[in-house]
Amino acid sequence: MDNDNYYIVLCKNPIRFEPVSKVNNVFFDDANKQVFAVRSGGAMGVVMKGPDEKSSASFRMEDRGDIISIKFSPDKRILAAQRSSKTVEFLNFQEDLNTDQQEYSQACKGKTTEIRGFVWSSNTEIIFITSGGLEHYQVLPEKRSLKSLKTQALQVNWYVWLGSSNLLLISSGTLGNTLYPFQFKTPGIMTKLPKFEVDLPAMPRPQKLALLDRDVIMAVIYENLYIVVLRHPPSTSTGAEIVLYQIQKEGLARKTDVLKLEMSGRFAINVVDNLIMVHHQASKTSVIFDIHLEGKSDGYVTYHYPVLSPLGIKPFKLLLPSLNMQAGTDRAEYNCELYSANWIVFQPDIVIDAKLGCLWTLQISLNPLVTMIPDKDRLIQFLLNRTDSKPVILNVCAQMLVPGKQASLQSLAKVYDMLNLTYKQHLDIQGQLSAGETVSGTGNKKVVIEQPDMFTHVFSVFEEHKDIKYKFIVAVLIEYIRSLNQFGILVQHYLYELIINILVQNNCFYQLHQFLQYHVLSDSKPLACLMLSLETVYPPAHQLALDMLKRLQTANEEIVEVLLSKQQLLPALRFIRSVGNVDVVSARKFLEAALNTNDNMIFYTVFKFFEQRNLKLKANPRFQTGEHCEQYVQQFESLFGYEAFMSLPTVQ
């Protein structure tokens, strides 16, 4: 299969570490995304590698026995290591990751209690999860001691920790399906959220632990917190399913979604770019679910099927040191075994092969999906929720206009409505932010496709493909404008210009007239100016433009300028009188335009009009010096004589 046909890929540059062996143990801290390679209990060195070079370090520890678990505090200043079921040891580090080698330790409370694990909730706070409950401590590195903050008695089977949300999930009870969420958002405070029970597909006889930690993860999907439970079928005749419980800010966790897998066996779950990715080891395939795509709902729970048919992860080649030095190369390509029994997945998107010494992050490749999801409405809906999908969306929209692949106007309308709904939400949030309002719960940060994007990357197809029929082009543009108007988005004038230019090029003046007359193309000054420029090819455009400017009621100056440029002085005078602008317009501008007509009667009429205005405003028909009308006064006198001037009013 061609490599372009895979939509799930492993990152190009995995974190490499020393593979697990008799002398080397490997640990992973999923909260800090750090791999620890521990040789001989730490005495032969500990190498810690993180997502970037800065979060890598190597150091030695005293060998006090095999390490069960090892984790740095979030700021990497305190290392915690568990070597027994009773105590956790601590080691302080400086900023340069040097250590003073002076360890201190903390034992759990209770003689029969055993430590199941531990998690850091902040730089100086740690939680021991024991068989008998939770122990919350503050670490005091200067004193090399710990201070107990709170304990919570609870029978514990296993736990799951989500570091990004500081949420701890405890399994309790004989069956293990009673779950207790605890939040550690506020320093020093443990918040107990309401417990809830997970449905079991069948009740085991005799009763025993039925819900296992390997079948439960916690994840943030579309900014909501979920407990994701893999439910195995009671018989092989039915497929497994994944149940999503949304953790509420107040109240019980609510069962919201069920993902139908339609196969059974061993599964592993990741969350990548808000998609739930399920790997099936037996078939060496994976499927993805998008809970924001439409599913079937019974009024309470929404049921989803995979977005696509099961498909394997894209093959991965690793460069390893070559054993065959005579071949002239010191590195050889190694085809990694995908879905290996050595694979362990961590949240949200990590795959580790401890025997190979590799840590990958999983990624979604969007381009192959374009041909895999034929339904364009569904495809766009899917892409809008993906990170960095803008170029792919624009390409899909452009391809929908290309001859041979053209979509129906109905399909285009749905796509444009989806794009503009997101666009409108974005504009509303921007408006609130610029007004200084606080915007809470902005929801999923969708990709925003704006008008300049469509103009530059989608409608440019019309230039590239000259064989597209102009009627289709106009229909597409009108459909996009309809969608913008439906969501109350101001249409940019260049979209109108594009339609007008296409209509003019194809001599469709009647259709253009109709569009303007029935306000399919909204009034604007740039549009009116464009119409004025078309007067030579379509004379009625002049009057259409004037009508538009009058409707705008904010373009009085432009209308006067247009009328004066056409030497329509008497209509211009009537217009300024109708809008009440007589008192403020420049007499000089009108007199100059009147003189340029070479029509003495028009010059006479305009001169007399402004004499009347002067008389009304200043009780004197004469022009003042500041109006710079001296040459026109002289011209009037030379044409009509001094006696033609309006008489000065007599003083009583």
Side-chain angles (χ1 to χ4, degrees):
M1 186 183 268
D2 181 34
N3 279 355
D4 290 341
N5 290 334
Y6 295 94
Y7 59 86
I8 303 174
V9 296
L10 299 169
C11 65
K12 282 183 182 175
N13 300 309
I15 294 172
R16 304 295 306 278
F17 55 88
E18 188 179 342
V20 70
S21 65
K22 285 181 180 178
V23 294
N24 187 60
N25 283 331
V26 175
F27 301 91
F28 182 65
D29 174 9
D30 52 350
N32 290 323
K33 310 287 179 278
Q34 292 165 348
V35 183
F36 291 84
V38 182
R39 289 176 67 84
S40 305
M44 299 297 291
V46 178
V47 177
M48 182 272 287
K49 291 195 172 182
D52 52 60
E53 289 299 319
K54 285 182 183 174
S55 52
S56 298
S58 59
F59 51 89
R60 289 178 187 276
M61 299 170 68
E62 278 186 45
D63 183 1
R64 297 189 184 179
D66 290 343
I67 289 176
I68 300 168
S69 177
I70 183 168
K71 295 172 188 177
F72 264 117
S73 60
D75 63 356
K76 297 197 288 290
R77 300 301 292 272
I78 309 167
L79 181 73
Q82 182 189 350
R83 286 194 172 97
S84 77
S85 61
K86 289 288 184 184
T87 60
V88 175
E89 293 157 10
F90 296 87
L91 195 57
N92 294 342
F93 280 76
Q94 280 115 34
E95 209 166 326
D96 58 4
L97 287 173
N98 280 327
T99 176
D100 56 14
Q101 293 292 341
Q102 288 189 38
E103 292 188 11
Y104 49 103
S105 64
Q106 175 68 46
C108 63
K109 297 173 179 178
K111 286 183 180 178
T112 58
T113 310
E114 292 187 348
I115 298 174
R116 296 257 192 263
F118 63 88
V119 292
W120 288 96
S121 61
S122 75
N123 291 333
T124 56
E125 286 183 28
I126 197 164
I127 303 123
F128 290 3
I129 301 97
T130 72
S131 53
L134 306 182
E135 298 176 14
H136 188 189
Y137 293 99
Q138 183 179 6
V139 185
L140 307 166
E142 305 83 16
K143 294 182 179 178
R144 289 191 172 80
S145 64
L146 278 75
K147 174 187 167 188
S148 177
L149 296 173
K150 187 168 183 181
T151 56
Q152 173 75 49
L154 187 67
Q155 181 267 321
V156 176
N157 298 313
W158 47 260
Y159 72 94
V160 179
W161 170 250
L162 185 64
S164 60
S165 300
N166 273 19
L167 194 74
L168 182 64
L169 188 68
I170 300 294
S171 156
S172 192
T174 310
L175 299 170
N177 67 331
T178 305
L179 300 181
Y180 291 82
F182 292 87
Q183 193 125 37
F184 295 85
K185 274 267 163 98
T186 311
I189 294 173
M190 178 196 300
T191 306
K192 187 178 178 182
L193 302 178
K195 70 171 182 176
F196 68 101
E197 286 200 359
V198 168
D199 304 332
L200 293 173
M203 196 65 72
R205 294 273 183 263
Q207 289 199 355
K208 60 177 182 178
L209 194 62
L211 184 64
L212 306 175
D213 55 346
R214 70 175 185 216
D215 294 332
V216 179
I217 69 160
M218 286 195 290
V220 176
I221 305 166
Y222 292 118
E223 298 193 349
N224 288 316
L225 199 51
Y226 290 94
I227 294 167
V228 181
V229 179
L230 175 62
R231 207 159 77 162
H232 296 282
S235 69
T236 51
S237 58
T238 54
E241 57 187 29
I242 289 171
V243 184
L244 268 62
Y245 295 87
Q246 188 180 334
I247 293 181
Q248 310 291 317
K249 285 183 179 173
E250 292 174 11
L252 286 171
R254 188 168 61 87
K255 183 177 173 181
T256 55
D257 300 84
V258 173
L259 318 180
K260 307 293 270 183
L261 285 167
E262 298 184 310
M263 47 187 170
S264 56
R266 286 199 69 177
F267 297 94
I269 303 168
N270 284 113
V271 175
V272 181
D273 200 8
N274 290 313
L275 296 169
I276 297 163
M277 189 180 286
V278 186
H279 313 289
H280 186 232
Q281 193 174 27
S283 63
K284 293 187 183 294
T285 59
S286 302
V287 288
I288 52 172
F289 292 88
D290 184 353
I291 60 170
H292 266 203
L293 283 183
E294 199 176 343
K296 290 178 181 173
S297 175
D298 61 8
Y300 301 97
V301 176
T302 306
Y303 295 84
H304 303 269
Y305 287 87
V307 175
L308 294 154
S309 302
L311 189 66
I313 295 168
K314 182 177 176 178
F316 191 89
K317 286 187 171 140
L318 201 60
L319 283 174
L320 293 175
S322 174
L323 298 173
N324 184 8
M325 299 301 287
Q326 293 165 340
T329 175
D330 59 347
R331 293 170 86 74
E333 276 191 342
Y334 170 78
N335 285 316
C336 297
E337 185 193 347
L338 303 179
Y339 303 92
S340 157
N342 302 318
W343 274 22
I344 307 168
V345 303
F346 291 94
Q347 299 314 312
D349 56 359
I350 285 165
V351 173
I352 290 179
D353 189 323
K355 286 218 170 151
L356 196 58
C358 277
L359 181 153
W360 292 276
T361 52
L362 287 158
Q363 296 166 349
I364 291 285
S365 179
L366 295 176
N367 278 315
L369 294 167
V370 173
T371 50
M372 291 181 185
I373 305 176
D375 181 343
K376 291 294 184 281
D377 309 344
R378 193 169 166 83
L379 173 62
I380 293 292
Q381 197 181 346
F382 176 85
L383 290 172
L384 275 171
N385 288 313
R386 306 285 76 81
T387 311
D388 303 326
S389 63
K390 193 169 190 172
V392 184
I393 293 173
L394 291 170
N395 182 47
V396 170
C397 290
Q399 291 303 307
M400 290 175 83
L401 307 178
V402 172
K405 301 177 187 174
Q406 277 174 4
S408 67
L409 283 175
Q410 189 180 7
S411 180
L412 288 166
K414 280 187 185 175
V415 167
Y416 295 161
D417 285 349
M418 276 189 271
L419 298 182
N420 290 328
L421 171 62
T422 309
Y423 185 16
K424 173 64 174 169
Q425 289 165 346
H426 167 75
L427 290 174
D428 287 347
I429 289 168
Q430 293 305 111
Q432 287 172 280
L433 290 171
S434 60
E437 295 176 32
T438 52
V439 182
S440 61
T442 53
N444 172 41
K445 294 170 180 60
K446 289 189 177 186
V447 172
V448 178
I449 306 293
E450 301 180 79
Q451 292 176 70
D453 300 320
M454 293 293 287
F455 184 74
T456 308
H457 301 287
V458 177
F459 301 140
S460 55
V461 165
F462 301 143
E463 279 297 309
E464 295 158 18
H465 295 268
K466 298 293 184 186
D467 53 337
I468 301 177
K469 291 178 180 172
Y470 81 87
K471 285 184 179 177
F472 178 73
I473 296 174
V474 171
V476 167
L477 292 169
I478 291 294
E479 198 53 63
Y480 182 62
I481 287 167
R482 172 211 57 79
S483 179
L484 289 168
N485 284 327
Q486 183 176 313
F487 290 100
I489 300 168
L490 182 67
V491 182
Q492 296 299 316
H493 63 85
Y494 45 74
L495 291 172
Y496 291 141
E497 285 177 20
L498 188 55
I499 292 180
I500 290 168
N501 289 332
I502 290 163
L503 291 171
V504 169
Q505 285 162 18
N506 290 279
N507 295 317
C508 298
F509 297 112
Y510 176 72
Q511 196 174 359
L512 172 59
H513 204 117
Q514 294 268 300
F515 281 170
L516 291 163
Q517 203 166 4
Y518 293 106
H519 308 298
V520 175
L521 308 180
S522 300
D523 297 343
S524 71
K525 287 183 187 179
L527 192 55
C529 293
L530 177 64
M531 293 304 298
L532 289 168
S533 69
L534 295 173
E535 188 186 2
T536 51
V537 288
Y538 185 56
H542 172 73
Q543 191 55 48
L544 286 168
L546 277 184
D547 293 344
M548 185 181 290
L549 289 168
K550 284 176 187 173
R551 285 195 299 272
L552 285 168
Q553 295 183 336
T554 56
N556 294 340
E557 285 183 30
E558 287 86 349
I559 294 172
V560 171
E561 292 292 342
V562 169
L563 292 170
L564 292 182
S565 68
K566 299 291 178 188
Q567 296 192 334
Q568 295 182 347
L569 276 97
L570 300 183
L573 291 175
R574 282 195 292 273
F575 176 73
I576 62 169
R577 187 179 280 149
S578 71
V579 295
N581 274 8
V582 174
D583 297 354
V584 295
V585 295
S586 163
R588 179 187 171 192
K589 186 185 286 186
F590 274 80
L591 291 168
E592 182 182 4
L595 201 58
N596 291 336
T597 62
N598 296 319
D599 185 326
N600 291 344
M601 284 316 297
I602 285 179
F603 181 64
Y604 181 88
T605 305
V606 171
F607 195 92
K608 285 292 170 185
F609 177 90
F610 283 101
E611 272 194 331
Q612 288 282 357
R613 182 189 79 165
N614 293 343
L615 185 65
K616 180 187 166 194
L617 286 177
K618 306 158 198 161
N620 188 331
R622 302 288 183 261
F623 292 94
Q624 294 185 341
T625 311
E627 293 183 82
H628 305 293
C629 294
E630 292 81 2
Q631 71 178 97
Y632 307 112
V633 172
Q634 290 171 10
Q635 185 70 23
F636 185 85
E637 189 176 352
S638 66
L639 286 171
F640 307 109
Y642 184 80
E643 59 278 5
F645 288 119
M646 187 183 285
S647 303
L648 289 167
T650 54
V651 181
Q652 294 294 322

